[in-house]
């Protein structure tokens, strides 16, 4: 397989996988307001349930990284898509159970199990997909740009499609979940037909393509080797990024729906929720952020790019409450800015990981990275739930600003470490 063809094949495969992961990830916040009403529960309970699935999204990443280094990326990407599709089938079944009497009902138990399955399946993708890019693609910056763009297309299309289907189907979320399971199952059928050379861009691998970790002793030794020096700082930085990401996005439809300037509209006898469409617009702005960020990873200092982006994110969190009080004319540009910058940072930290880790344990490196982003970062969901349940809303955004300031400091330190 020639280099350009292999680059295109790998880029197509990871675009497919990445778009599906984030399609499902961001459908879940659209369901949250319905679950709060249908199951007569609180943001803390639902945030904890969703947070469990999101935590497994990250906690499974180191194991996924080990499997990637041992078995290769493509099989894990296929299994990831299959598991996510099946998890939404299980969600659809949960939605058919009676569960309006309050408490932790059988429906909520089954929703929890579905999200556990989703988190485990989704955890396989990022270590596999990003390892495939950094080990198999020659034009890495472009691949990061297209990979990130595809992820954000899924990020925007998922909640938009869910919102439209909920409107058409009169909030029958279980039917929506079943419909949304179909793309993942179709994706599996497409992915198995894509042929790739997984190690075309590196030489530090065996002729068989992967080396990998064969024992707990090797895992401990490789982990100790990774979690020193620059990568340890990167690991702390991506944890901050994950906390901000979850804390900002998980309850955003609920936050927007509570604003005086954004009220439900009755249309054709149905309730039209502008908050969900504004949330989708925020996520759609991330398409530009991912693409621009990916292209810039080959053109500027990664550490300085991260520092600048997190400084902006801190500022956006601090001005959120006063800006949304102005009205719709200020809300829309604010949401566009948050979406653009929030996703701009992702290709930067993905490329930074590759700069601070060896190629032969790249899977494990991205495993630890997404343990930080989605595992530790999942704590941002219950953190936001606690803030919104027990404190004034502005407290959440002050906490998010503090997290972004921490990431800014780590990026500045990393830049001096690199120098």
């Amino acid at each position: 397989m020639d280099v350009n063809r292999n680059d295109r094949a790998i880029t197509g495969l990871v675009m497919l996988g990445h778009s599906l992961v984030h399609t499902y990830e961001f459908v879940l916040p659209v369901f949250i307001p319905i679950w709060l009403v249908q199951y007569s529960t609180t943001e803390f309970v639902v945030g904890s349930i969703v947070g469990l699935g999101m935590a497994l999204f990250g906690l499974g990443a180191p194991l996924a990284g080990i499997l990637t280094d041992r078995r290769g990326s493509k099989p894990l990407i296929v299994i990831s898509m299959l598991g996510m599709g099946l998890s939404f089938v299980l969600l659809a079944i949960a939605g058919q159970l009676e569960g309006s009497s309050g408490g932790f009902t059988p429906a909520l138990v089954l929703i929890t199990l579905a999200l556990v399955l989703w988190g485990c399946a989704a955890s396989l993708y990022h270590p596999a997909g990003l390892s495939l890019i950094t080990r198999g693609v020659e034009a890495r910056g472009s691949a990061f740009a297209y990979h990130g763009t595809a992820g954000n297309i899924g990020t925007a299309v998922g909640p938009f499609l869910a919102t439209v289907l909920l409107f058409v189907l009169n909030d029958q979320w279980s039917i929506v979940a079943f419909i949304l399971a179909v793309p993942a199952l179709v994706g599996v059928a497409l992915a198995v037909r894509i042929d790739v050379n997984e190690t075309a861009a590196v030489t530090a691998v065996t002729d068989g393509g992967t080396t990998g970790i064969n024992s707990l002793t090797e895992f401990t030794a490789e982990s100790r080797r990774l979690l020193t020096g620059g990568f340890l700082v990167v690991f702390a930085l991506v944890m901050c990024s994950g906390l901000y990401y979850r804390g900002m996005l998980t309850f955003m439809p609920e936050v927007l729906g509570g604003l005086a300037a954004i009220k439900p509209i009755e249309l054709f006898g149905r309730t039209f929720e502008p908050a969900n469409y504004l949330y989708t617009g925020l996520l759609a702005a991330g398409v530009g952020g991912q693409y621009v960020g990916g292209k810039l990873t080959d053109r500027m200092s990664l550490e300085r790019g991260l520092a600048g982006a997190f400084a902006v994110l801190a500022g956006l969190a601090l001005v959120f409450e006063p800006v949304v009080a102005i009205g719709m004319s200020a809300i829309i540009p604010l949401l566009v800015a948050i979406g653009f910058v929030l996703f701009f940072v992702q290709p930067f930290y993905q490329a930074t990981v590759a700069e601070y880790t060896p190629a032969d344990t790249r899977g494990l490196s991205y495993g630890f990275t997404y343990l930080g982003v989605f595992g530790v970062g999942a704590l941002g969901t219950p953190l936001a739930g606690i803030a919104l349940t027990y404190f004034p809303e502005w407290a959440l955004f002050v906490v998010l600003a503090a997290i972004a300031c921490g990431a800014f400091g780590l990026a500045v330190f990393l830049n001096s470490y690199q120098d």
Side-chain angles (χ1 to χ4, degrees):
M1 180 181 292
D2 64 73
V3 170
N4 289 335
R5 182 183 172 195
N6 191 57
D7 277 14
R8 289 193 297 271
I10 289 176
T11 302
L13 177 59
V14 297
M15 287 176 69
L16 174 62
H18 200 208
S19 64
L20 288 171
V21 167
H22 293 300
T23 291
Y24 296 119
E25 177 190 4
F26 285 98
V27 164
L28 297 176
V30 176
F31 289 158
I32 285 177
I34 301 174
W35 293 343
L36 289 170
V37 174
Q38 182 172 344
Y39 302 113
S40 304
T41 188
T42 67
E43 287 91 346
F44 174 69
V45 171
V46 173
S48 297
I49 291 171
V50 175
L52 175 61
M54 298 302 177
L56 290 170
F57 189 7
L59 293 173
L63 176 59
I66 293 170
L67 293 173
T68 297
D69 289 332
R70 284 182 57 82
R71 302 297 182 186
S73 293
K74 181 181 170 182
L76 269 68
I77 293 172
V78 172
I79 293 170
S80 175
M81 289 189 287
L82 178 61
M84 289 188 295
L86 293 177
S87 72
F88 266 66
V89 172
L90 192 58
L91 269 182
I93 295 170
Q96 296 299 312
L97 300 178
E98 293 293 331
S100 59
S101 59
F104 208 75
T105 65
L108 283 177
V109 171
L110 197 55
I111 288 172
T112 302
L113 292 176
L115 295 183
V116 165
L117 174 59
W118 178 84
C120 291
S123 73
L124 300 175
Y125 175 72
H126 284 91
L130 293 168
S131 296
L132 187 57
I133 291 174
T134 59
R135 291 196 287 216
V137 176
E138 296 286 347
R140 192 173 70 186
S142 293
F144 273 130
Y146 289 117
H147 173 263
T149 299
N152 269 93
I153 289 172
T155 293
V157 169
F160 176 76
L161 181 58
T163 299
V164 170
L165 288 172
L166 287 169
F167 178 76
V168 171
L169 297 172
N170 199 25
D171 284 345
Q172 296 295 312
W173 70 269
S174 62
I175 299 174
V176 174
F178 184 78
I179 292 170
L180 291 174
V182 174
L185 303 179
V186 173
V188 171
L190 294 173
V192 296
R193 299 173 61 86
I194 299 175
D195 182 33
V196 298
N197 178 351
E198 296 199 11
T199 59
V202 296
T203 57
V205 292
T206 65
D207 291 339
T210 58
T211 53
I213 292 170
N214 297 298
S215 68
L216 180 60
T217 301
E218 288 185 25
F219 172 74
T220 302
E222 291 298 334
S223 298
R224 186 181 297 114
R225 180 162 69 106
L226 284 174
L227 294 173
T228 56
F231 181 72
L232 183 60
V233 181
V234 176
F235 183 62
L237 186 150
V238 299
M239 286 192 289
C240 292
S241 180
L243 288 167
Y244 188 103
Y245 175 87
R246 289 287 177 226
M248 178 64 76
L249 294 180
T250 302
F251 287 97
M252 185 60 74
E254 183 80 0
V255 170
L256 294 175
L259 296 176
I262 305 172
K263 293 299 182 184
I265 301 170
E266 293 297 324
L267 189 64
F268 305 120
R270 304 283 180 82
T271 301
F272 177 80
E273 297 283 354
N276 285 343
Y277 292 93
L278 289 170
Y279 176 66
T280 299
L282 180 158
L283 299 175
V287 174
Q290 284 270 17
Y291 184 81
V292 172
K295 286 293 188 180
L296 288 178
T297 60
D298 283 339
R299 294 171 170 80
M300 67 179 294
S301 162
L302 298 173
E303 298 81 6
R304 291 173 185 171
L306 286 168
F310 279 112
V312 174
L313 287 174
L316 290 171
L318 287 175
V319 303
F320 186 91
E321 288 287 303
V323 169
V324 298
I326 296 172
M328 192 65 74
S329 62
I331 291 170
I332 292 175
L334 175 65
L335 295 179
V336 169
I338 290 172
F340 184 93
V341 184
L342 187 59
F343 290 95
F344 175 90
V345 304
Q346 293 186 2
F348 270 86
Y349 68 63
Q350 290 163 357
T352 302
V353 171
E355 292 299 318
Y356 286 86
T357 58
D360 60 337
T361 54
R362 194 63 50 74
L364 181 60
S365 304
Y366 282 114
F368 277 115
T369 298
Y370 283 91
L371 170 65
V373 173
F374 293 134
V376 178
L379 295 174
T381 297
L383 176 66
I386 290 169
L388 294 173
T389 301
Y390 300 110
F391 298 95
E393 188 175 275
W394 58 262
L396 170 62
F397 295 98
V398 171
V399 171
L400 292 175
I403 292 169
C405 287
F408 167 79
L410 289 167
V412 170
F413 176 80
L414 195 63
N415 185 58
S416 16
Y417 179 90
Q418 175 73 358
D419 290 340

